[in-house]
Amino acid sequence: MSHLPLAELKWTLGFTDPAQVRRQATAVGETGPTRRVWRGNGLCWELPEQLQDLSRLAVETGGGGASTLYQFLVDSHSDGMIVLHRGAVVYEQYLHGLRRQGLHLTASMAKAFIGLLAGILEDQGLFTRDDQVSTYVPELAGTAFGDATIRHLLDMTTQVAYGGREFHREVEAHRWWAVVAPAMRPDGYDGPKTLLDRLTTARATGPYGEVFHYENGSCEAMGALISRVTGATVSDLMSELIWSKIGADEDARYILDAAGAETACGGYAATLRDIAKVGEMLRCGGALGDRQIVPESVVRAISTVPEGATAQVRLPRASANSPATMSYRDYWWILNDPFDSFMASGIHGQRLFVSRELDLVVAHFGSQIISPCVATPPFPAVFTRIGKHLSASGVKDAADQVTDGEKLSVLEEAALEAEAHR
C-alpha cells in the first residue's frame, strides 16, 4: 500500500475482525434502507434430505496442509455451508449463530444474479449485447460506462478510473461502501452520495474489450440499465423472474442507496438454503421440474468459455504471478475443470458452486478476514473434493476419523490434479 498517496491510505483499511464482518453480513435491514425481494405466495420448495456426516472428510487446506471439512469451515471463518448432491441435501452446517432462516449478505455473489437477469431480458429481446449503455441510461453519456456496450459491462472489460484518481481496487471498494453506507464515510467525506452519481465520475483509461478489469461499477451500471429497460426495480425483477419461482423459504433483501437504487454489485441478502435452490435450478438447466425459470440457453452460456479478454483470468485476490486458470462470463466464474463447474463468488467467503458433472451444488457463507497476510481459503478445491467423494463408489463412510494415510491421499490427489492442469 505504500505506493498510495497519504490521503488515500485511510481508504485501504479493510475488515480484519471476523466478528465485525459477520455483524455487517447478518444485520442487513438494521443498519440502513433495504427493499424486499418477495418470495411470492407459492409453497416453499422442501429440499429432500439424504444427510451424511461429512464433517470429518479429509480436505486439502492449501500450502500442503490437510484437515477435516469441519475444521476447514472453522479456520476459514465460515458462517454456514450446505451441500446438495443429485438434488438432495447431504450436509448442512451453521456456525457463529447463523440460523437456517437467517439472511446473510452475499457480497459480489450478487453480481451473478444480475447476470442471470440480464440473460433473461436479453432472451426476451429487450436489448442486445452490442447496444450502447447510454441508450438506456442517458445520464451516463460521455462516461466510461455510458460509452461502453452491454457486452463490456457483462464481461467487465471496461478500464475505468473514478473522480480523476488512479484506480486502486481496494480503495474504490471502500469508496463504494461510503456511497451506500453513510456510517462508513470518513470525516469530511464530500464524495458521491448515490451510486449513479459515482458512476458519472468514471472515465475510460483504456480501450474497451481488451482487458479484464474486475470492479463494481460495471455491475452497478448493468443494474441501472435493466431497471430502465423494464421500468421496474431490480428487487421486483428479481422477485418476478427468479425468487418467486424457486420456492424460496424467505424473502430476500437488497441494500439501497440514498436514491432508493439497489446495490446490484453486492447488496443482496438471502438464506443459505435459498441460495442453494438457485444453484440447483441452474444445475438442472434453469428448470425446476417442468417449470423453465431461466432459459436453458442462458444457463448453457454461463459455462461456455468466451473468447478474448475473459478467457483466462484469476480471482480478484489472487497474486499477480498466479496462473490465470479461470474464465469469466456474465459475472460468473468458470473454473475450466473436468467437471463443468462454475461459481458465483463474493468477498469474505461467499460462494455458490455448481458442478453438473459431479451433480453438486454448494452454497457457503463466511466472514473471512481480508488481509495480505491471510491467504484465501481454497474453496473450489474443497467443494470439488466433496463432490468427488459423493460421486465415488465404494468410498468409506465420511464419518470415519481422518487418518494420516487419508490426509496423504488427499494431497497426492491434489498434486496429480495440479500436474494434469499445467
Side-chain angles (χ1 to χ4, degrees):
M1 300 295 183
S2 59
H3 66 284
L4 290 172
L6 182 62
E8 295 296 326
L9 287 178
K10 63 178 178 290
W11 290 101
T12 66
L13 298 176
F15 291 113
T16 56
D17 179 359
Q20 183 185 14
V21 176
R22 193 169 297 115
R23 165 68 178 163
Q24 294 293 329
T26 58
V28 173
E30 301 174 19
T31 56
T34 63
R35 182 172 291 129
R36 179 178 73 155
V37 179
W38 186 40
R39 62 164 298 278
N41 56 12
L43 296 175
C44 294
W45 175 20
E46 293 295 337
L47 293 169
E49 296 186 356
Q50 297 178 6
L51 296 176
Q52 299 186 32
D53 184 2
L54 299 179
S55 292
R56 286 175 282 184
L57 176 69
V59 299
E60 186 194 5
T61 57
S67 183
T68 64
L69 177 59
Y70 181 79
Q71 192 60 47
F72 170 80
L73 295 178
V74 171
D75 293 342
S76 61
H77 301 291
S78 299
D79 297 328
M81 187 175 79
I82 185 169
V83 179
L84 275 60
H85 187 239
R86 295 171 183 162
V89 178
V90 295
Y91 185 72
E92 189 171 18
Q93 184 68 251
Y94 296 95
L95 300 92
H96 305 294
L98 183 66
R99 297 183 179 182
R100 174 172 164 173
Q101 71 274 22
L103 302 190
H104 194 290
L105 199 63
T106 62
S108 286
M109 184 196 296
K111 292 180 173 69
F113 299 154
I114 296 297
L116 291 180
L117 294 179
I120 294 171
L121 297 177
E122 179 190 20
D123 184 75
Q124 293 176 356
L126 271 66
F127 53 72
T128 73
R129 292 183 180 234
D130 294 324
D131 291 345
Q132 192 171 39
V133 173
S134 60
T135 302
Y136 304 100
V137 191
E139 297 95 321
L140 295 181
T143 71
F145 298 116
D147 293 347
T149 67
I150 291 174
R151 188 185 310 277
H152 296 142
L153 296 188
L154 291 170
D155 289 347
M156 283 208 183
T157 54
T158 57
Q159 301 181 65
V160 305
Y162 294 91
R165 300 180 297 273
E166 180 180 351
F167 183 85
H168 187 283
R169 188 170 60 83
E170 284 80 8
V171 168
E172 296 306 334
H174 287 285
R175 284 186 177 272
W176 175 86
W177 272 112
V179 174
V180 300
M184 298 179 67
R185 295 171 184 168
D187 293 341
Y189 177 80
D190 61 355
K193 304 297 195 300
T194 71
L195 293 167
L196 189 60
D197 285 346
R198 182 171 185 271
L199 294 178
T200 62
T201 73
R203 297 293 179 266
T205 60
Y208 295 107
E210 295 185 5
V211 176
F212 177 64
H213 183 70
Y214 184 89
E215 57 87 43
N216 289 331
S218 291
C219 188
E220 294 296 354
M222 193 68 226
L225 186 146
I226 64 177
S227 183
R228 296 293 180 86
V229 166
T230 60
T233 67
V234 173
S235 298
D236 285 346
L237 285 171
M238 187 65 179
S239 172
E240 176 187 349
L241 298 178
I242 297 177
W243 214 246
S244 65
K245 297 183 177 182
I246 62 167
D249 291 342
E250 305 286 344
D251 294 339
R253 301 203 77 86
Y254 264 115
I255 295 174
L256 305 178
D257 72 359
E262 288 85 352
T263 53
C265 76
Y268 197 72
T271 70
L272 193 63
R273 278 203 165 213
D274 287 341
I275 294 296
K277 289 176 182 180
V278 174
E280 179 63 13
M281 176 265 293
L282 295 175
R283 186 187 74 84
C284 297
L288 289 180
D290 59 357
R291 291 181 298 132
Q292 193 71 37
I293 298 171
V294 177
E296 188 176 5
S297 60
V298 173
V299 179
R300 283 200 308 269
I302 290 174
S303 58
T304 301
V305 177
E307 297 180 355
T310 59
Q312 290 186 308
V313 300
R314 59 179 64 86
L315 286 169
R317 288 194 65 219
S319 62
N321 59 359
S322 63
T325 59
M326 295 183 176
S327 301
Y328 194 78
R329 187 183 181 98
D330 291 2
Y331 308 132
W332 291 87
W333 300 89
I334 307 168
L335 272 64
N336 295 326
D337 63 8
F339 309 111
D340 192 18
S341 304
F342 54 92
M343 179 176 70
S345 175
I347 196 171
H348 302 300
Q350 322 321 319
R351 300 290 190 275
L352 174 58
F353 179 91
V354 180
S355 175
R356 285 177 284 217
E357 289 297 318
L358 294 173
D359 301 313
L360 182 74
V361 171
V362 182
H364 179 277
F365 287 157
S367 298
Q368 175 204 343
I369 293 173
I370 300 300
S371 166
C373 303
V374 180
T376 301
F379 291 112
V382 169
F383 299 158
T384 301
R385 163 66 174 154
I386 294 170
K388 292 170 70 174
H389 169 82
L390 293 169
S391 298
S393 59
V395 179
K396 69 177 183 177
D397 189 346
D400 291 346
Q401 290 283 355
V402 178
T403 65
D404 289 340
E406 187 176 10
K407 289 181 182 179
L408 183 61
S409 69
V410 172
L411 296 175
E412 289 175 340
E413 182 180 74
L416 289 172
E417 289 180 356
E419 185 66 28
H421 284 84
R422 287 181 180 173

